[in-house]
Amino acid sequence: MRTPTIDGERGSLRPVGLQDAAAIWALRNDPEVRRLTGTVGAVALEQAEDWAGTVAGLDGRHDWAITVGGSDEMLGEAVLDGIDPAARAASLRTTLRPGHRGRGYTREATMLVTGFAFGAAPEGLCLHRVGLEVLGIDQRAFALYESLGFVTEGRLRDTHVDGGRYYDTIVMGMLEEEYAQARQAWRRGLFGSLRAGPRSSSRRPAGAWRGLPAPGRARPRGRRRAPGSPPECHPGAATVRGPRDRARPPARARTGARSRRWGRIAGPASRG
């Protein structure tokens, strides 16, 4: 699929082309952008020209230039790469040039790309998951993605050094069923209403990130689609879910029963 042009209320996302080489060069070499993205090393103008002229022909990715106000000038970039058709997953990245931040351009670009990723074919990719990574020093980006409904899934500890201190890489993601809820909130302008619980991980039990069960709780089992059923995507495609995997007979420890040696063991219904 060729990268489409996507129009929003504030501006548009258009495919990156050779005319964007100078803007890409300025964006990649901006000190603040390099700091917040963990970029090491400068980018030469020749490299930017080569990239801008060939990226449209690369498989497994879509690269857009963020434009506003009817102008064709590239103010930033939005990227959906690492597209895996089998897993129906991809990674998202957005970057904005200095002087254009804090105006809602990144928010709208993220909404447009996410809508394209989860949208029904042939206009969209009908993905199941869109993920992204944010450095711990970029609290503005973290708050933005969280307000749009992306869920914190985990942390890669001490992956980046800034100012003599180590910072984590925060892994976030959104699933197609979460996108359905997020899209409704976006339409009502309820940004930030999708945050589930406190931001601080210290208030959560160990392993309580989404997809990792809290101690004492059974690991969630996978879901299967019925053979030949259409994939889940939005809007439109009907969904047929197959039966859940057959559960194993519950062990005494999982039911909260007493153990002679260890006492009461927290089961699925236990609140800790």
Side-chain angles (χ1 to χ4, degrees), residues 171-185:
V171 181
M172 309 183 76
M174 180 183 292
L175 305 181
E176 56 185 321
E177 56 265 30
E178 296 167 342
Y179 169 72
Q181 177 186 0
R183 186 179 57 171
Q184 295 179 2

Side-chain angles (χ1 to χ4, degrees), residues 67-171:
T67 64
V68 297
S71 172
D72 198 51
E73 179 185 6
M74 180 181 185
L75 304 185
E77 65 176 351
V79 180
L80 193 68
D81 60 2
I83 299 175
D84 185 343
R88 296 172 54 213
S91 298
L92 168 69
R93 183 178 76 253
T94 58
T95 312
L96 206 62
R97 290 168 54 186
H100 302 285
R101 299 165 186 163
R103 304 181 184 180
Y105 300 152
T106 302
R107 179 184 297 276
E108 182 177 73
T110 303
M111 293 165 62
L112 293 176
V113 174
T114 307
F116 170 74
F118 289 113
E123 292 80 8
L125 298 181
C126 198
L127 297 183
H128 174 68
R129 179 185 183 275
V130 173
L132 57 88
E133 293 184 355
V134 184
L135 291 182
I137 57 176
D138 196 353
Q139 289 298 311
R140 173 181 290 186
F142 172 76
L144 169 65
Y145 294 130
E146 187 184 46
S147 72
L148 290 176
F150 282 86
V151 177
T152 300
E153 299 174 336
R155 289 175 178 265
L156 306 177
R157 299 180 298 166
D158 292 355
T159 58
H160 182 69
V161 178
D162 182 77
R165 297 181 58 186
Y166 282 101
Y167 290 89
D168 297 347
T169 296
I170 305 171
V171 181

Side-chain angles (χ1 to χ4, degrees), residues 223-233 237-243:
R223 295 174 297 179
R224 299 180 296 176
R225 267 202 334 272
S229 65
E232 300 175 27
C233 52
T239 301
V240 179
R241 289 192 183 275

